[in-house]
Amino acid sequence: MNNSGLTPSANSSKHNDMANAIRALSMEAVQKANSGHPGMPMGMADVATVLYSKFLKFDPAKPNWPDRDRFVLSAGHGSSLLYSLLHLTGYKDLTLDEIRNFRQLGSKTAGHPEYGHADGIETTTGPLGQGLATAVGMALAERMLADRFDALVDHYTYVIAGDGCLMEGISHEAISFAGHLGLSKLVLLWDDNSISIDGSTDLAVSDDQGKRFEAAGWDVQAVDGHDAEQIEKAIEAARKTNKPSMIACRTIIGYGAPNKQGTASAHGAPLGNEEIELTRTQLKWPHAAFDIPVKILDCWRTVGTKGARLSAAWEESLNAQSEEVRQAFATGQSGELPADFHETIATYKQTLSDTAPGWASRKASQEALNVINEHIVQTVGGSADLTGSNLTKTSHMLPVTPDDFSGRYIYYGVREFGMAAFMNGIALHGGFIPYGGTFMVFTDYARPAIRLSALMGLRVIYVMTHDSIGLGEDGPTHQPIEHMASLRAIPNLNVFRPADAVETAECWQLSLEAKSTPSILSLSRQGLPLLRLTHTDENLSAKGGYELSPANIDAKVTLIATGSEVTIAMEARKKLESEGIGTRVVSMPCWELFDAQDMSYKTETLGPGTVKIAVEAACSMGWQKYTGLDGGFIGIDSFGASAPAEDLYKHFGITAEAIVAAAKERL
C-alpha cells in the first residue's frame, strides 16, 4: 500500500489542530492504559473532525434529544476516538479524568464503547460488523418515525467502519438490506487503511468494496481521508443522494507515528513512549500528555454548543404540535405501555379460558399479537423469511417497503443475524418496540446480536418457533436441542417457553413490560391443549414457575416441565395418581424469572421432600439445579431425526410412560 500521497497539507491549521487533539488524546489514553488500539483513531481523526464540526447534529447538553443525528463507531476497538470526541465537544460525563482512566475498572471509557456507560455512546460496539448493522436499524427507524411525525423527525445516521467490519458476514446482510430499502440518510465512512491485525488486508481479502456497495444499491465515493476539503464535499454530496452512501476514506493507520504508521503494529498496541514523543514532533504537537491548549479546546467546545440552537428549535416545533401529536410522540419515546394493558391481557385470557383453543404456541402467539398490536401502536414486527411459519404478522400490519415506510411489518429476508442487529438499532433509536421471528434453531445465526440486546438492556423480542423435535420431518438440522441451555446462559435475557395459549399471552405481556431486558419466546409447531382452564387476572408466569396442578393426595412426586412437555407431564401425573402416587405438576415457562424469586417461594414451588423429574424436549444441561442430583430428567441429549413429531417423541422416550418410570425408580 502506498500512502505517500496522503498529507493534510491542504487543510487549515485549525482543522489540523483539532484533529491532532484527537490523535494526542487517543495515543495518550492507550499508552497510559498500556492497552488499546491507537491506530484507527489516529487515522480517522481528520474524517471525524470534519463530521463533527461540519455536519453532525447533536447537543451535549441534551444528549438524548430525539432528533439528534446518530453516530455509530462500528470499529469499536477504536473507542478512544469516540471518547476523545465526546470529551472535546463537552459531554459532561466524559471528563479528562475518564480519558485518563481508559480501560480501567469502573470507568466510563471501557475498552469498547458500551451503551449506557456515558452519554453520546449510541450503541455497544466491538464485535465487528454489528455496529454497521445496528446503524441500519437506526436509519430504518428514522424513516419509519419520520413517516409518522414528519415535522419532528429529520436526522442522519453516520457510521465509521473498518476493513474488519466489511469482512464480517453480517456486513453483507446490512448492506443488502439498507440498499434494498433505500435508506438515504445512512452514511458509512469506511476507514480504508488496508491494514488488519495480521498485516496487510491482501493476506485475506481482495474485494472491490466500491463495486460491492454499488451492486447493493448504494452511492459510492472515494476520498483522501486526510484531506478535510475532500471529506467535507463527499459528506455533503452523500446527504443529497436518494440512496445510502459509502465514502471510502483512504487513510494511514496510526497517522503521525513516524515508525509505526501504515503498519499492523499501530493497530492494537500502545505506540510506546519513544514513538509518542516522535509523533508529537511529527504532528507539531508540543504539548504534555492530556494537555489540550485552551484555544484548541475552545474550537471543539464551540462545535459542541452549536447544537443548542437546533435542539431549541426542535423543541419549539414539538410545542407547536397538537396535544394528540405531542402525546403520541412522547409515548413512543418513553416506551411506556398503555395504562390498561394488563386489563386488556386479562380480558383476553378470560376469553381463552372460556373457549379452550388447542393452538400451537406459535399460533397462540399470533392470536395474542392480534390483541397487542391493536392496543400498542409502537410494536413493529417482522420475520427472517418465515412469516407464514413464525406467524408474526397480524391483520393490523402493512409491510414496510422502499416506497412506503408507514407500515409496521418488516420482511427481513434470510438475514437472521442482520434482523437481530437491525432490531437492536430500532430499539436504540426509540419510538418503536421491535419483535422478529425465525426458527428456534437459527438463534445460532442471531446469537451475537441477541447477546448485545442483553448486554445493552434493550426491549427486543425474539419470536422463535419450531422449538423442539416437535417440528418433525425437517429433521435434526432444524431441531433445536442445545439452544434453550445456550440461550439461558446469556445474562439479562428472559427465555420463555409457554405451555398453552394462556401462558403464551402472559409471556408476551411480560416481554413487553420488560423495558431493559430482551426476551426469547420459544414456541411450538404442534398443537397444545389449553391447560389453564380456570381464569385468573394474575399473570402466573410472572414468577417464572408455579404449581399448575396440585397433588390430589399426599405429594410424593413433582414434575417440572416447560412448553409442549407440560401436557405430557399432566398425562404422567394422571397415571401416577391412578396408582396412588401423589403427583404435582409445576409449569416453568421462564427460568430467569423463577430464579429471581425468594427462596421460600422457590422451595415451596419445587416441592420439598418430593421426587423431582424435569421434562423438556431439549438437552438436560442446567436442570439439576431444580431436580437435584437424585432427580430425573426426561428430554434429549442427542441430535434429533426426521419423522413425524409423534413418532419422534416416542422414539426418544419423551412420553408419559417414561416419566412415570423415572418417578417410580426414585421413590
Coordinates of all heavy atoms in Angstrom, one line a residue, residues 554-586:
D554 N -51.3 -37.0 49.2 CA -50.0 -36.6 49.7 C -49.0 -36.6 48.6 O -48.7 -37.7 48.0 CB -49.6 -37.5 50.9 CG -48.4 -37.0 51.6 OD1 -48.1 -35.7 51.6 OD2 -47.6 -37.8 52.1
A555 N -48.4 -35.5 48.3 CA -47.5 -35.4 47.2 C -46.2 -36.2 47.4 O -45.5 -36.0 48.4 CB -47.1 -33.9 46.9
K556 N -45.8 -37.0 46.5 CA -44.6 -37.8 46.5 C -43.7 -37.4 45.4 O -42.5 -37.6 45.4 CB -44.9 -39.3 46.4 CG -45.7 -39.8 47.6 CD -45.0 -39.7 48.9 CE -45.8 -40.3 50.0 NZ -45.2 -40.2 51.4
V557 N -44.3 -36.9 44.3 CA -43.5 -36.6 43.1 C -43.9 -35.2 42.6 O -45.1 -34.8 42.6 CB -43.9 -37.6 42.0 CG1 -43.2 -37.2 40.6 CG2 -43.5 -39.0 42.4
T558 N -42.9 -34.4 42.1 CA -43.1 -33.1 41.5 C -42.5 -33.2 40.1 O -41.3 -33.5 39.9 CB -42.4 -32.0 42.2 OG1 -43.0 -31.9 43.5 CG2 -42.6 -30.7 41.5
L559 N -43.4 -33.0 39.1 CA -42.9 -32.9 37.7 C -42.8 -31.5 37.3 O -43.7 -30.7 37.4 CB -44.0 -33.6 36.8 CG -44.3 -35.1 37.2 CD1 -45.4 -35.6 36.2 CD2 -43.1 -36.0 37.2
I560 N -41.6 -31.1 36.8 CA -41.3 -29.7 36.4 C -41.1 -29.7 34.9 O -40.2 -30.4 34.4 CB -40.1 -29.2 37.1 CG1 -40.1 -29.5 38.6 CG2 -39.9 -27.7 36.8 CD1 -38.7 -29.4 39.2
A561 N -42.0 -29.0 34.2 CA -41.9 -29.1 32.7 C -42.1 -27.7 32.1 O -42.5 -26.7 32.7 CB -43.0 -30.0 32.2
T562 N -41.7 -27.6 30.8 CA -41.9 -26.3 30.1 C -42.6 -26.6 28.7 O -42.5 -27.8 28.2 CB -40.5 -25.7 29.8 OG1 -39.9 -26.4 28.7 CG2 -39.7 -25.6 31.0
G563 N -43.2 -25.6 28.2 CA -43.7 -25.7 26.8 C -44.6 -26.9 26.5 O -45.5 -27.3 27.3
S564 N -44.4 -27.5 25.4 CA -45.2 -28.6 24.9 C -45.1 -29.8 25.8 O -46.1 -30.7 25.8 CB -44.8 -29.0 23.5 OG -43.4 -29.1 23.4
E565 N -44.1 -29.9 26.7 CA -44.0 -31.1 27.5 C -44.8 -31.0 28.8 O -44.9 -31.9 29.6 CB -42.5 -31.3 27.9 CG -41.7 -31.9 26.7 CD -41.5 -30.9 25.6 OE1 -40.8 -29.9 25.8 OE2 -42.1 -31.1 24.5
V566 N -45.3 -29.8 29.1 CA -46.2 -29.7 30.3 C -47.4 -30.6 30.1 O -47.9 -31.3 31.0 CB -46.6 -28.2 30.5 CG1 -47.6 -28.2 31.7 CG2 -45.4 -27.4 30.8
T567 N -47.9 -30.7 28.8 CA -49.1 -31.5 28.5 C -48.7 -33.0 28.8 O -49.5 -33.8 29.4 CB -49.5 -31.4 27.1 OG1 -49.9 -30.1 26.8 CG2 -50.6 -32.4 26.7
I568 N -47.5 -33.4 28.5 CA -47.0 -34.8 28.7 C -46.9 -35.0 30.2 O -47.3 -36.1 30.7 CB -45.7 -35.1 28.0 CG1 -45.9 -34.8 26.5 CG2 -45.2 -36.5 28.3 CD1 -44.6 -34.9 25.7
A569 N -46.4 -34.0 30.9 CA -46.3 -34.1 32.4 C -47.7 -34.3 33.0 O -47.8 -35.0 34.0 CB -45.6 -32.9 33.0
M570 N -48.7 -33.6 32.5 CA -50.0 -33.7 33.0 C -50.6 -35.1 32.8 O -51.2 -35.7 33.7 CB -50.9 -32.7 32.4 CG -50.6 -31.2 32.8 SD -51.0 -30.9 34.5 CE -52.8 -30.7 34.4
E571 N -50.2 -35.7 31.7 CA -50.7 -37.1 31.4 C -50.0 -38.1 32.4 O -50.6 -39.0 32.9 CB -50.3 -37.5 30.0 CG -51.1 -36.7 28.9 CD -50.5 -37.0 27.5 OE1 -49.7 -37.9 27.4 OE2 -51.0 -36.3 26.6
A572 N -48.7 -37.8 32.7 CA -47.9 -38.7 33.6 C -48.5 -38.5 35.0 O -48.6 -39.5 35.8 CB -46.5 -38.3 33.6
R573 N -48.9 -37.3 35.4 CA -49.5 -37.1 36.7 C -50.7 -37.9 36.9 O -50.9 -38.6 37.9 CB -49.8 -35.6 36.9 CG -50.6 -35.3 38.1 CD -51.1 -33.8 38.2 NE -52.0 -33.6 39.3 CZ -53.3 -33.9 39.3 NH1 -53.9 -34.5 38.3 NH2 -54.0 -33.7 40.4
K574 N -51.6 -37.9 35.8 CA -52.8 -38.7 35.9 C -52.5 -40.2 36.1 O -53.2 -40.9 36.9 CB -53.6 -38.5 34.6 CG -55.0 -39.1 34.6 CD -55.7 -38.8 33.3 CE -57.1 -39.4 33.3 NZ -57.8 -39.1 32.0
K575 N -51.5 -40.7 35.4 CA -51.1 -42.1 35.5 C -50.6 -42.4 36.9 O -51.0 -43.4 37.6 CB -50.1 -42.5 34.5 CG -50.6 -42.5 33.1 CD -49.5 -42.8 32.1 CE -50.0 -42.8 30.6 NZ -51.0 -43.8 30.3
L576 N -49.7 -41.5 37.4 CA -49.1 -41.8 38.8 C -50.2 -41.7 39.9 O -50.2 -42.5 40.8 CB -48.0 -40.7 39.0 CG -46.7 -41.0 38.3 CD1 -45.9 -39.7 38.3 CD2 -46.0 -42.2 38.9
E577 N -51.1 -40.7 39.8 CA -52.1 -40.6 40.8 C -53.1 -41.8 40.7 O -53.6 -42.2 41.8 CB -52.9 -39.3 40.6 CG -52.0 -38.1 40.9 CD -52.6 -37.1 42.0 OE1 -53.8 -37.1 42.1 OE2 -51.8 -36.5 42.8
S578 N -53.3 -42.3 39.5 CA -54.2 -43.5 39.4 C -53.6 -44.7 40.1 O -54.3 -45.7 40.5 CB -54.5 -43.8 38.0 OG -53.3 -44.4 37.4
E579 N -52.3 -44.7 40.4 CA -51.6 -45.7 41.1 C -51.3 -45.4 42.5 O -50.5 -46.0 43.2 CB -50.3 -46.1 40.4 CG -50.5 -46.6 38.9 CD -49.2 -47.0 38.3 OE1 -48.3 -47.4 39.0 OE2 -49.0 -46.8 37.1
G580 N -52.0 -44.3 43.0 CA -51.9 -43.9 44.4 C -50.6 -43.1 44.7 O -50.2 -43.0 45.9
I581 N -50.0 -42.6 43.7 CA -48.7 -41.8 43.9 C -49.1 -40.3 43.7 O -49.3 -39.9 42.6 CB -47.6 -42.2 43.0 CG1 -47.3 -43.7 43.1 CG2 -46.4 -41.4 43.2 CD1 -46.4 -44.3 42.1
G582 N -49.1 -39.6 44.8 CA -49.5 -38.2 44.7 C -48.5 -37.4 43.9 O -47.3 -37.4 44.2
T583 N -48.9 -36.7 42.9 CA -48.0 -36.0 41.9 C -48.5 -34.6 41.7 O -49.7 -34.3 41.4 CB -48.0 -36.8 40.6 OG1 -47.5 -38.1 40.9 CG2 -47.0 -36.2 39.7
R584 N -47.5 -33.7 41.7 CA -47.8 -32.3 41.4 C -47.1 -32.0 40.0 O -46.2 -32.6 39.6 CB -47.1 -31.3 42.4 CG -47.4 -31.6 43.8 CD -46.5 -30.9 44.8 NE -46.5 -29.5 44.6 CZ -45.4 -28.8 44.2 NH1 -44.3 -29.4 43.9 NH2 -45.5 -27.5 44.1
V585 N -47.7 -31.0 39.3 CA -47.0 -30.5 38.1 C -46.7 -29.0 38.2 O -47.6 -28.2 38.6 CB -47.9 -30.8 36.9 CG1 -47.3 -30.1 35.6 CG2 -48.1 -32.2 36.6
V586 N -45.5 -28.7 38.0 CA -45.1 -27.3 38.0 C -44.7 -26.9 36.6 O -43.9 -27.6 35.9 CB -43.8 -27.1 38.9 CG1 -43.2 -25.7 38.7 CG2 -44.2 -27.4 40.4

